[in-house]
Structure formats: C-alpha cells, structure tokens
Amino acid sequence: INSLDFFNNQIENIENNSFNGMIHLNTLKLNKNKLTSISFQTKDLVNLIELDLSYNQIKELRSESFNYLLKRK
C-alpha cells in the first residue's frame, strides 16, 4: 500500500500500532476527522512524504509519535 486516505470518516482514535509494517506508505490522509490526540507510532513509515492531519480537533501531539519522522534525512 502506497497511500491511505481516511478523509472525513469521523475517526476519533488511532491505535498505537495501526501503521506498523507499512514501510511503503508515502501518503497518509487523516484530515477532517475527530482526532483529539496523536500518539500512534511512525517508526515503520520510512517512506512517508505526506501526512495530513488538518481539520481535526487535536489538543495533544505526543513527541514520541514523530521522533522517527524527524530523524529521517
């Protein structure tokens, strides 16, 4: 899978390991949902180019969720 689009699905929560093993994923669209916290792991998302979290109700971003993305070069 290269792309996942969950636009406008009323998603409220994403489990921590939801994207484990998705090393080929380059686009993840979670926009226009009901997410309030981002805490899922991104360590396997080594090819992720686009992450869209817009139009949610995010109040908490856990830094450990993005550590792997920020360390990439």
Side-chain angles (χ1 to χ4, degrees), residues 6-20:
F6 294 114
F7 168 79
N8 199 21
N9 277 287
Q10 308 301 311
I11 298 170
E12 296 179 5
N13 184 43
I14 297 174
E15 294 297 321
N16 191 32
N17 60 356
S18 294
F19 305 109
N20 285 5

Side-chain angles (χ1 to χ4, degrees), residues 66-73:
F66 298 98
N67 282 345
Y68 293 99
L69 294 178
L70 296 173
K71 290 179 183 176
R72 291 186 336 183
K73 292 184 179 182

Side-chain angles (χ1 to χ4, degrees), residues 17-60:
N17 60 356
S18 294
F19 305 109
N20 285 5
M22 294 193 171
I23 60 171
H24 300 291
L25 192 67
N26 58 40
T27 302
L28 177 56
K29 296 184 179 184
L30 296 165
N31 50 320
K32 203 170 181 187
N33 283 289
K34 294 184 176 183
L35 296 170
T36 59
S37 177
I38 303 300
S39 60
F40 57 84
Q41 293 295 317
T42 59
K43 66 180 179 178
D44 289 346
L45 302 179
V46 295
N47 290 302
L48 192 68
I49 296 168
E50 179 182 0
L51 173 61
D52 190 346
L53 297 168
S54 62
Y55 298 100
N56 280 285
Q57 297 144 8
I58 298 170
K59 295 179 175 134
E60 179 182 18

